[in-house]
Amino acid sequence: MSVWDGLVGQEPAIAELQRAVVDPGAMTHAWLFTGPPGSGRSNLARAFAAALQCEQGGCGTCHACLTVLGGTHPDVTVVATEGVNILIDAVRPLVELAQRSPSAGRWRVILVEDADRLVEKTSNVLLKALEEPAPRTVWMLCAPSPQDVLVTLRSRSRAVALRVPPVEAVVELLVRRDGIDPAVAEAAARAAQSHVGVARRLARDPEARRRRNEVLQIAARIRGVGDAVLAAGDLVATAQADAKAATEERDASERAALLRSLGAEGAATVPPALRSQVRQLEDDQKRRATRAQRDVLDRAMLDLLSLYRDVLVVQLGADVPLVNVDHDETARALAASSTPEQTLRRMDAIGQARTRLEGNVAPLLAVEAMAVALRPQG
């Protein structure tokens, strides 16, 4: 067993990082891990952090490895945002932290997940730390692509590109690690397009499979503008409900914990002197809910894109397997009732909706415009 065992289909990237662990000449102070969603960017960065702290280079069983992978190592700091962007107040302490020597381990590691959510002002705060690194500090940034990171940060980091793992490798992992039935694992891996986390959820959660099926049925339901508006409303409402279900219990426990720490537990109203702290918590929770809703919608759009990809495969007669094998009939019906050009326009509309969501367009407006573009064109 080693820290690299849970990573799928990333052998070239792992080999490069293993060299850096043992060869000072192959090591650098800042790394940029890029790859599509589900490729394992954050997991690879955590494994690398564990290997750097481990005396055996990543054995996976020692105290250093276990604490890094468990998120409790004192010299490994992970920055992950649940909001739309990483705020500047979360970054300023990192610059000071980066100048300190490690307290217990061999390196001080600062891992920034979703580095693509660093706005320009926040990135500029990090720039000085990356330009003048402390001798035993390592920065690890994770993003979908190099272009998603400000060029000044990108140019000061060594890029490690991850690839989409093969479906077969994801299936093997699900069967070996989670005991999933091979047939279920293969269907889930194909539906998730090799996104390991999504594949695992689809394989283990029937409710997740049901919600995905409902999303894919939207394509067949839309016959006109009225259907499109109704489908968009349903999709956004489902995303809001999922986001609320995922955050509601946590929001309540966080509020209760804050009031308890402030000595206001059980008070009918929050004392005026404490309202700013409660308001700050509520703002953070709203940002988290917004991020959760957008993540659900983005996943739904990726599922729709996978269906239209299958439609295009059928229309072009390409000799490649379908992603959505359980929706073969839907894909073939859509293929028969449209042209490849129309399918490409529909895929473009979905991509544009994703871009609009990233640009903070109101979710309902973005999804309605997308749904209208999916209707039959005649």
Side-chain angles (χ1 to χ4, degrees), residues 45-357:
R46 289 173 190 268
F48 185 33
L52 288 173
Q53 302 291 13
C54 176
E55 296 290 344
Q56 288 79 43
C59 67
T61 57
C62 70
H63 179 72
C65 287
L66 294 176
T67 52
V68 172
L69 297 179
T72 58
H73 195 288
D75 294 319
V76 178
T77 302
V78 178
V79 181
T81 181
E82 292 177 318
V84 176
N85 294 313
I86 298 178
L87 302 179
I88 197 167
D89 289 343
V91 169
R92 284 199 177 104
L94 301 179
V95 177
E96 179 185 349
L97 181 66
Q99 300 305 313
R100 300 181 194 166
S101 299
S103 60
R106 305 167 69 207
W107 295 86
R108 180 169 296 284
V109 179
I110 302 176
L111 195 170
V112 182
E113 296 182 351
D114 299 323
D116 53 306
R117 296 181 185 271
L118 290 164
V119 295
E120 184 172 357
K121 186 177 180 181
T122 308
S123 296
N124 289 336
V125 173
L126 282 185
L127 186 58
K128 186 177 174 101
L130 265 68
E131 287 177 329
E132 303 172 7
R136 304 300 292 178
T137 294
V138 181
W139 287 87
M140 300 182 188
L141 311 179
C142 302
S145 73
Q147 290 70 35
D148 290 318
V149 179
L150 199 68
V151 65
T152 48
L153 297 182
R154 189 167 76 227
S155 63
R156 288 160 176 80
S157 307
R158 181 176 300 171
V160 177
L162 282 71
R163 59 191 182 187
V164 177
V167 168
E168 295 76 18
V170 177
V171 172
E172 189 275 332
L173 179 67
L174 292 175
V175 172
R176 170 173 53 85
R177 187 184 66 184
D178 300 303
I180 304 295
D181 176 79
V184 174
E186 181 171 1
R190 290 193 183 282
Q193 299 177 77
S194 294
H195 188 304
V196 176
V198 173
R200 188 168 186 260
R201 187 173 73 250
L202 289 174
R204 298 179 53 160
D205 184 0
E207 182 64 18
R209 295 197 293 271
R210 184 193 64 77
R211 285 197 299 268
R212 185 176 188 278
N213 287 335
E214 288 182 353
V215 169
L216 296 182
Q217 288 166 7
I218 287 175
R221 278 172 47 199
I222 297 176
R223 310 306 301 170
V225 173
D227 293 335
V229 172
L230 289 174
D234 290 345
L235 191 56
V236 172
T238 298
Q240 289 174 334
D242 285 353
K244 183 177 181 181
T247 59
E248 191 171 31
E249 184 176 343
R250 182 176 172 186
D251 289 351
S253 64
E254 286 178 344
R255 181 183 175 88
L258 176 62
L259 293 176
R260 187 164 52 249
S261 68
L262 296 175
E265 185 178 18
T269 59
V270 178
L274 306 179
R275 285 174 187 167
S276 63
Q277 292 165 278
V278 174
R279 193 178 305 116
Q280 179 62 53
L281 174 64
E282 291 172 346
D283 289 343
D284 291 343
Q285 291 174 341
K286 286 178 182 177
R287 281 191 287 268
R288 184 167 66 205
T290 299
R291 165 82 183 270
Q293 180 187 353
R294 289 180 180 171
D295 285 349
V296 171
L297 285 174
D298 192 63
R299 186 68 238 171
M301 291 176 186
L302 287 174
D303 290 335
L304 281 171
L305 272 177
S306 75
L307 178 64
Y308 284 108
R309 174 264 188 199
D310 288 347
V311 172
L312 196 61
V313 165
V314 173
Q315 289 173 327
L316 300 179
D319 186 23
V320 295
L322 300 183
V323 169
N324 302 284
V325 291
D326 293 340
H327 293 267
D328 175 271
E329 291 184 7
T330 300
R332 294 188 184 281
L334 289 168
S337 63
S338 62
T339 65
E341 292 77 14
Q342 289 172 333
T343 301
L344 287 172
R345 283 199 292 271
R346 287 167 173 164
M347 296 175 77
D348 285 344
I350 297 171
Q352 188 175 43
R354 296 182 68 205
T355 301
R356 286 170 173 166
L357 280 179

